[in-house]
Amino acid sequence: MNMFKYLAIVSSLLIFAAAGGKWHTSQIMLKKLYDLQNDHFNALDKYLDLETKRIEELKNCVAAVYEWRDHKKTDQHFLHDHLDVIKVMTQMQHHFSKIEDLINNKQSTEALHHIDKHKDLSGDHVLWAHQALRRLQLFYAIPASDMAAGRINEKIIGDRMDACECFVMAKYCSEGNDIYGVLDWAVEAYTKWESDGRPECVNIDILNYFIASSSVYTGFDFMNLVNPSGSNYQEYTEKCVRYYHLIRNELFELEKERIMDVMGVYNRLQGNTIENEFRHLCKRGVSRTLKKYLKCRYQTNNLFYRILMPFKEEDINSEPFIKIYHDVLYDDEILKIKTASLENMRDAHIRTTGTNTALKERSRSGQVNWINEHDAVEYLDALNTRVESFTGFSAKTAEQYQVVNYGLGGHYLPHHDTFQKGTENVMFGNRLVTVLFYLTDVQNDGYTAFPMLDIIAPAEKGSALVWHNLNMSNGKLCYETLHGSCPLLKGNKLIMTRWLYEEGQHLPYNWKNK
């Protein structure tokens, strides 16, 4: 039983990216998942070796019993000798006992105990993968037909999905009361079911029900378009017509129960101008055309040792201040940062008034780790000096470096980096400047978007995006620095952030009294 259970778990892992319990959609956690899977395969190999050895011993034992029995058949005299009869019975008992021991040998099943410690792998991992895909679909307005084809606007974002996978998407949309998603994916599943030779993994009766019920709710009648066939299809359609008003009311009630699930955040975007602009920027992509008053330059910041190695500075916006500094993080440093961080990544949180709240991939989806500078002083000291050089601000009172990984659907909805009023750091004040390093290249998506400024910055490995969160004259919030991380369609995005505080800076105001 344990064996079949494990094989079921491994099979499901090979189909979907894992995330629940909480296996995350970030590639870092996927790597950990595959490492765990390798451990499971090693346990399985040990199980098979022990089982093979047990079966071989059992065969040899049975063969020896058969040989002994055949010998006794040819020697009938032992039946007349009571002592010989007792010997035979004792030997038979010994044989049966040994066979029973081999049959009930628990050594092999003990090899699977390591697997049993990870029962959560059979839980929510498919659900989380589904939610990431569905979130991307809604955010970028990708039809199920394009998502299933692995493309968006002629851009390849993944492999083709088959009828079985589309059916699973429809199933999870149904369980989440996402009725429009049910219709979109059920129609796609039916189309592929027909073209893929009607595979048995698709339950056509359930698929018919999905199409019929979602057609009733949405008003889009796809029942005639797909012309489903199935043993219960006629029954479904007759019931839908007969109990139309009851079904519709029931579906509306289910819709009300879907309180702020993972898709709810994006539904809210429909009525928010700023967040709609965020979506528009993420979908549009990057335009590197500079405005006439913005420039690119080599910058030394009056440091003599920078004359031979000046910073490559690119203006993004003048007010509030936003710039990109290219090639300020080197490959060997990036490798060390990854090494120091990747094994300790945890699900990202956002800070609310006075507390940290895990939002389960709603407003923010990623993995995060804070680097302990005492453990990485040999290369972070040089980086701190570099940060001070190109920003002109002290890093002595800055927060620890924060490393974040975004995988499939990884995102951060528009937000300010500053602390809310009353939650500032007592010793150091608020986050004056943000320095965001890109540790990987991400092509065509994964941008940092500023919706109030109509600006998006590309993720370019080794560069640093710098902006002022507060007005340098009075310490008030620069509202236009509202920014977010666009959902990732493909690839792996790694960033590292350093926040420079008000304390220790030469400012025209006293932050403690503002």
Side-chain angles (χ1 to χ4, degrees), residues 46 65 75 204 218 233 252 254 297 355 360 372 382 428 465:
K46 184 177 180 181
V65 171
D75 183 9
I204 191 59
T218 63
Y233 175 65
F252 272 123
L254 288 173
R297 66 185 67 81
T355 60
K360 297 183 179 178
N372 186 335
F428 304 121
L465 182 65

Side-chain angles (χ1 to χ4, degrees), residues 77-255:
H77 299 290
F78 76 92
L79 294 175
H80 304 287
D81 189 324
H82 294 296
L83 184 60
D84 285 346
V85 169
I86 292 174
K87 288 181 179 179
V88 168
M89 294 178 64
T90 302
Q91 187 65 31
M92 290 176 65
Q93 184 181 20
H94 172 72
H95 288 157
F96 283 123
S97 177
K98 187 174 182 179
I99 291 174
E100 185 179 19
D101 287 343
L102 286 171
I103 291 175
N104 296 324
N105 190 340
K106 302 297 183 181
Q107 274 190 310
S108 54
T109 54
E110 287 176 0
L112 299 180
H113 285 178
H114 175 68
I115 295 171
D116 289 341
K117 293 177 183 177
H118 299 277
K119 295 178 181 178
D120 61 317
L121 290 182
S122 60
D124 295 334
H125 57 283
V126 179
L127 173 63
W128 284 87
H130 154 262
Q131 289 177 338
L133 289 175
R134 183 68 177 137
R135 182 173 62 246
L136 283 173
Q137 186 189 4
L138 289 175
F139 188 89
Y140 289 106
I142 309 172
S145 55
D146 284 356
M147 181 71 82
R151 68 173 188 270
I152 172 175
N153 297 330
E154 305 307 321
K155 172 190 171 186
I156 302 299
I157 60 172
D159 294 333
R160 177 184 178 274
M161 297 173 69
D162 59 25
C164 305
E165 292 162 336
C166 292
F167 178 67
V168 170
M169 286 293 290
K171 172 178 173 288
Y172 277 99
C173 285
S174 175
E175 292 181 3
N177 304 320
D178 180 5
I179 308 303
Y180 287 93
V182 173
L183 184 61
D184 199 14
W185 284 103
V187 171
E188 185 63 23
Y190 180 83
T191 302
K192 289 185 176 293
W193 178 72
E194 287 280 21
S195 61
D196 292 352
R198 301 190 172 190
E200 295 182 359
C201 57
V202 175
N203 186 320
I204 191 59
D205 285 339
I206 294 177
L207 188 60
N208 289 338
Y209 172 75
F210 286 162
I211 295 172
S213 60
S214 57
S215 292
V216 168
Y217 176 80
T218 63
F220 296 101
D221 187 359
F222 280 91
M223 291 185 287
N224 293 327
L225 289 178
V226 297
N227 190 26
S229 58
S231 59
N232 297 324
Y233 175 65
Q234 189 65 32
E235 177 185 351
Y236 288 145
T237 52
E238 289 178 358
K239 284 184 177 179
C240 282
V241 172
R242 188 182 311 156
Y243 303 116
Y244 173 87
H245 64 286
L246 295 178
I247 296 175
R248 187 173 179 83
N249 290 340
E250 178 68 15
L251 289 170
F252 272 123
E253 289 302 315
L254 288 173
E255 180 74 8

Side-chain angles (χ1 to χ4, degrees), residues 44-61:
L44 179 60
D45 287 339
K46 184 177 180 181
Y47 170 85
L48 292 174
D49 289 342
L50 291 171
E51 277 293 278
T52 301
K53 181 180 178 181
R54 184 178 69 87
I55 296 299
E56 192 63 32
E57 288 182 8
L58 184 60
K59 286 170 60 178
N60 293 336
C61 181

Side-chain angles (χ1 to χ4, degrees), residues 240-373:
C240 282
V241 172
R242 188 182 311 156
Y243 303 116
Y244 173 87
H245 64 286
L246 295 178
I247 296 175
R248 187 173 179 83
N249 290 340
E250 178 68 15
L251 289 170
F252 272 123
E253 289 302 315
L254 288 173
E255 180 74 8
K256 291 177 184 177
E257 293 175 8
R258 192 183 60 163
I259 301 173
M260 275 307 286
D261 66 356
V262 74
M263 265 44 109
V265 172
Y266 290 107
N267 291 337
R268 291 187 304 154
L269 297 180
Q270 300 296 328
N272 189 310
T273 302
I274 292 176
E275 291 179 336
N276 273 329
E277 178 61 22
F278 174 64
R279 297 176 73 191
H280 172 70
L281 286 172
C282 293
K283 291 163 67 175
R284 186 184 69 190
V286 175
S287 172
R288 301 306 294 273
T289 303
L290 295 177
K291 298 177 181 178
K292 62 181 181 180
Y293 56 86
L294 301 177
K295 301 181 182 300
C296 296
R297 66 185 67 81
Y298 287 105
Q299 179 63 266
T300 64
N301 284 348
N302 298 318
L303 300 170
F304 71 91
Y305 61 87
R306 278 290 166 189
I307 295 175
L308 295 179
M309 293 182 63
F311 297 114
K312 302 172 185 177
E313 183 182 80
E314 178 182 350
D315 294 338
I316 300 298
N317 194 70
S318 58
E319 189 60 39
F321 175 103
I322 305 176
K323 292 182 185 290
I324 293 180
Y325 294 90
H326 299 274
D327 303 322
V328 294
L329 198 59
Y330 310 129
D331 287 344
D332 61 327
E333 292 175 322
I334 291 175
L335 180 59
K336 290 175 181 176
I337 291 166
K338 288 181 178 179
T339 302
S341 301
L342 298 192
E343 292 302 317
N344 302 307
M345 304 296 278
R346 297 291 183 269
D347 291 315
H349 294 64
I350 69 167
R351 175 162 292 184
T352 58
T353 306
T355 60
N356 281 330
T357 304
L359 296 183
K360 297 183 179 178
E361 303 209 347
R362 293 176 180 173
S363 292
R364 188 181 188 186
S365 170
Q367 291 280 307
V368 64
N369 178 59
W370 297 85
I371 297 180
N372 186 335
E373 294 187 46

